[in-house]
Amino acid sequence: MTTVTAPGISTTASTLRRLYSVRFVFAIVWALAMFTTATQLGSLAMALLVIYPLFDVAAAVIDARTSRATGSPTLLYVNVVVSLLAAVGLAFAGTSGIPAVLRVWGAWAVVAGLVQLIVGVNRRKMGGQWPMIISGGLSVLAGGSFIASASADNPALTNAIAYAIPGGIFFLISAIRLGRAAKAN
C-alpha cells in the first residue's frame, strides 16, 4: 500500500496528480494531431514537434515550484534547460530533414528520460511513482531507438507518436496512484 505521510508531500502529490492528468490529455491530443501530419515534415509537424518539449518545460516549471516542499527541484530545472534546448534544436533540425529531427528528439528523450527516472526514484515515498520510473527508463530506450532509426532508409516521424501515447498513459496511471495516496493520508 502506498501512503503519503507529510503535509508537504500530500500537497505535492495532489498538485502532481492534476499536472500528470493534464500531461496525459496533452500527450493524447498531441499524438492525434501529429498523426494527421506525420508523413511529412511540414510546418504543422514542425510546430507540433517544437511544442512538445515546450510543454515539457512548462510542466517541469510547475513541478519544480510544487516540489520545493518535498526536496530539491534541481533535476527539474535541468529538465527545463534540456527541453528548451530540444525545442530550439528541433526548430533548426527541421530544416535538415526527418533524420536530423529524429536525432534531436532521441537525444532529448534520453536525457529527459534519465531525469524522469531519477526524480521518480527520489519520490518513491510519495507514492504513485513507479509508472514515472518505468516511463523514464522506457524514454531512454526509445531515445536510443529514435537516434538509430534516423539512419534507416525511410525514417519516419510516426515513432514520435508511439513515444507520446505510452508516456501519456504512464502519466495517467501515476495520477491515479497519486490520488489514491493523497486520499490515504
Side-chain angles (χ1 to χ4, degrees):
M1 178 176 196
T2 306
T3 59
V4 177
T5 57
I9 291 175
S10 179
T11 301
T12 300
S14 178
T15 301
L16 289 178
R17 184 177 59 82
R18 288 189 302 275
L19 177 62
Y20 289 177
S21 296
V22 169
R23 291 191 74 164
F24 162 72
V25 171
F26 173 81
I28 299 304
V29 169
W30 182 90
L32 290 172
M34 190 67 183
F35 183 74
T36 67
T37 187
T39 57
Q40 57 185 326
L41 193 55
S43 57
L44 178 58
M46 277 312 306
L48 288 168
L49 287 165
V50 170
I51 287 170
Y52 199 97
L54 290 177
F55 185 84
D56 197 51
V57 167
V61 167
I62 292 167
D63 193 338
R65 288 181 180 167
T66 301
S67 300
R68 286 188 180 132
T70 59
S72 172
T74 302
L75 283 173
L76 295 168
Y77 289 121
V78 167
N79 193 48
V80 167
V81 171
V82 167
S83 294
L84 281 172
L85 290 172
V88 171
L90 285 164
F92 283 107
T95 63
S96 297
I98 291 175
V101 167
L102 288 172
R103 286 182 187 99
V104 172
W105 188 271
W108 171 62
V110 167
V111 177
L114 282 172
V115 169
Q116 182 179 11
L117 173 68
I118 295 167
V119 169
V121 167
N122 290 337
R123 289 181 172 166
R124 283 186 326 273
K125 292 180 183 176
M126 181 184 307
Q129 293 304 300
W130 283 108
M132 295 295 87
I133 293 168
I134 295 167
S135 179
L138 290 174
S139 182
V140 171
L141 296 174
S145 171
F146 293 135
I147 294 167
S149 72
S151 299
D153 289 336
N154 293 313
L157 295 173
T158 52
N159 293 343
I161 298 166
Y163 173 76
I165 292 172
I169 292 169
F170 278 115
F171 276 115
L172 176 63
I173 293 167
S174 190
I176 291 166
R177 292 184 52 86
L178 281 169
R180 291 180 184 160
K183 287 178 185 174
N185 186 17

